Amino acid sequence: MHSETRSYRTGDREVVLDLTADCADVVSGRGEGILQLFVPHATAGIAILETGAGSDDDLLAALGDLLPADDRWRHRHGSPGHGRSHVMPAIVPPHATVPVLEGRLALGTWQSICLVDVNVDNDVREVRFSFLAG
């Protein structure tokens, strides 16, 4: 098993951050197995989706529709609507598993692995990458 943690600056806005290149780097030359990603934060998630063609913005818009940044949330510390950030990982989970074949991610043509962060109060996130050889 190989495991490492990397930090990402997400800033003060909602973001879908493409991690695919970093994932490919972690598994490069490691043979067959699976890559497990985990975000050890209560307000961030991992999604596999197409990026660059608007789907990443569509995801943020959909989360905004499902989880509005208003005062309805019981969890109230932080910026207005912060409670939505604590509900978001139930929709976009804090983990993903990707097959690795011959040291390469076995993703579909348009799939990317992304960190999803709608919490504007925390600007640094950690992602744990664990490669399990098959």
Side-chain angles (χ1 to χ4, degrees), residues 4-132:
E4 64 183 80
T5 300
R6 296 185 183 192
S7 294
Y8 298 90
R9 185 163 299 281
T10 55
D12 59 357
R13 62 183 178 83
E14 297 179 2
V15 66
V16 175
L17 182 65
D18 192 339
L19 304 177
T20 309
D22 285 354
C23 292
D25 179 57
V26 169
V27 303
S28 179
R30 295 195 186 277
E32 311 246 330
I34 59 171
L35 177 65
Q36 174 69 37
L37 291 89
F38 181 73
V39 182
H41 300 283
T43 58
I46 300 289
I48 298 177
L49 74 158
E50 180 181 8
T51 59
S55 296
D56 36 355
D57 291 331
D58 289 341
L59 175 58
L60 292 176
L63 290 172
D65 290 344
L66 288 169
L67 306 169
D70 59 22
D71 64 357
R72 74 182 68 202
W73 308 101
R74 291 184 182 105
H75 188 106
R76 294 187 182 264
H77 75 82
S79 63
H82 177 74
R84 73 190 281 262
S85 300
H86 288 273
V87 175
M88 197 267 314
I91 297 168
V92 179
H95 57 84
T97 302
V98 179
V100 177
L101 302 173
E102 298 178 5
R104 297 174 59 129
L105 301 167
L107 292 170
T109 302
W110 302 111
Q111 289 181 315
S112 296
I113 305 165
C114 300
L115 170 65
V116 180
D117 187 2
V118 297
N119 182 356
V120 299
D121 295 330
N122 295 337
D123 66 344
V124 176
R125 297 299 181 168
E126 290 187 345
V127 178
R128 293 184 186 143
F129 300 85
S130 298
F131 175 74
L132 306 168

